[in-house]
Amino acid sequence: MPDATDTEGLTVGQVSARLDVTVRALHHWDEIGLARPSLRTAAGYRLYTAGDLERLHRIVVYREIGLGLDRIRAVLDDPTADVPDALRAQRAQVAERIDRLQQLSAGLDRMIDAHERGLLLTIEQQAAIFGPQWNPDWLAQARQRYGDTTQWRQYAERSASRGPEEWQAIADAMAGVDRALGEAMDAGVAPGSPEAHQLVERHREVFASYFPLTREMQVCLGRSYEADPAFAAHYDGIRAGLAAWFRRSIDASARDHGIDPDTATWQ
């Protein structure tokens, strides 16, 4: 390596500052032979010439557009390398990456929206799926009451990936459970019987479409179904007395699984 006076080139630190490249990267490129300083001072310091700086500038540009170091070396050193072809290939990869990032951004937007709104459905879609008795204000009330809970976060994250068809399937499944409960009560099925246990388990599995529901949590829901006027009106509108019958059925199923309904908590 030729010697030079201290004024004939740029030091590693100066090049690092000028090109906004770390000293560590410059040392690495030197070690692998990608970009070596052409000069060295009498004191042994490396110095980069104008030609070295031009090569480094091209390396920085190619690295910023995503080319790997081996590919950069080929573009710079192989006289037969088709530079436009290499850049076109990189452009295609960048376009794919942009598309993935746009999809990720759209997914994040849906997730944020779901956490804030609960349902990513228009009011018209909600009415068509959940029926004329549905009140869109219930979602805002639910978020205000439960927005800080794990269950709301689970519900929102599932909601973000669902469209009208998925929600229609869930609504149909819940309606099917409600019909089966009414029919069971009409048929004289007793809480605590195998048939009632099956219906309680079916309810828990379908309800888990919203968020995972433990049996203790289901007991808490059963209390609400009987005590909350809106829930009680829903079930008693299916069959008179169904809210109380369903609550007793849930409690009996819980006992069968070793859970005391009187001490069950939301967990």
Side-chain angles (χ1 to χ4, degrees), residues 5-259:
T5 66
D6 291 340
T7 60
E8 286 184 324
L10 297 177
T11 65
V12 173
Q14 290 171 325
V15 171
S16 172
R18 180 170 296 193
L19 297 182
D20 195 23
V21 176
T22 66
V23 170
R24 182 177 179 180
L26 291 172
H27 284 318
H28 177 62
W29 298 346
D30 182 6
E31 290 170 1
I32 65 175
L34 179 62
R36 287 176 171 158
S38 299
L39 301 177
R40 188 178 294 273
T41 68
Y45 295 110
R46 299 163 176 158
L47 293 177
Y48 290 87
T49 66
D52 297 335
L53 200 63
E54 175 60 27
R55 181 180 178 89
L56 283 169
H57 178 73
R58 294 181 68 193
I59 291 171
V60 170
V61 170
Y62 288 146
R63 191 182 63 161
E64 285 180 350
I65 64 174
L67 288 181
L69 295 182
D70 289 340
R71 189 61 171 158
I72 292 173
R73 187 197 302 275
V75 169
L76 295 179
D77 297 339
D78 185 354
T80 65
D82 188 335
V83 176
D85 184 63
L87 296 179
R88 288 189 190 96
Q90 186 62 23
R91 181 180 61 187
Q93 293 181 21
V94 169
E96 292 177 3
R97 192 177 307 128
I98 290 172
D99 183 60
R100 289 195 300 271
L101 289 173
Q102 288 175 335
Q103 292 178 27
L104 176 61
S105 177
L108 289 171
D109 286 343
R110 286 183 61 83
M111 189 72 73
I112 293 168
D113 208 9
H115 274 275
E116 293 179 343
R117 292 172 48 201
L119 281 175
L120 304 186
L121 300 172
T122 65
I123 292 178
E124 293 75 18
Q125 288 172 328
Q126 293 175 38
I129 293 171
F130 302 114
Q133 78 283 358
W134 174 259
N135 182 354
D137 292 338
W138 288 341
L139 290 170
Q141 295 169 9
R143 182 176 185 271
Q144 184 176 15
R145 185 173 181 181
Y146 304 112
D148 294 332
T149 65
T150 298
Q151 287 72 40
W152 179 267
R153 291 192 290 271
Q154 292 169 331
Y155 165 73
E157 288 164 6
R158 296 180 181 196
S159 177
S161 64
R162 288 173 178 161
E165 297 80 8
E166 290 84 0
W167 281 116
Q168 185 66 66
I170 293 170
D172 291 345
M174 290 301 299
V177 171
D178 287 349
R179 286 193 302 271
L181 291 172
E183 292 166 358
M185 185 177 172
D186 286 345
V189 173
S193 66
E195 294 85 352
H197 283 350
Q198 289 177 359
L199 286 171
V200 170
E201 190 63 20
R202 179 179 169 187
H203 167 266
R204 194 168 70 89
E205 291 174 354
V206 173
F207 192 95
S209 299
Y210 302 111
F211 53 80
L213 186 70
T214 67
R215 289 188 172 85
E216 288 202 48
M217 292 164 67
Q218 190 180 30
V219 169
C220 297
L221 275 182
R223 295 174 192 156
S224 297
Y225 291 162
E226 185 177 22
D228 184 275
F231 281 132
H234 168 74
Y235 284 103
D236 290 342
I238 298 171
R239 296 290 192 282
L242 182 60
W245 180 90
F246 190 26
R247 190 266 171 91
R248 293 198 303 274
S249 296
I250 292 174
D251 286 355
S253 178
R255 291 190 189 94
D256 195 53
H257 287 87
I259 298 169

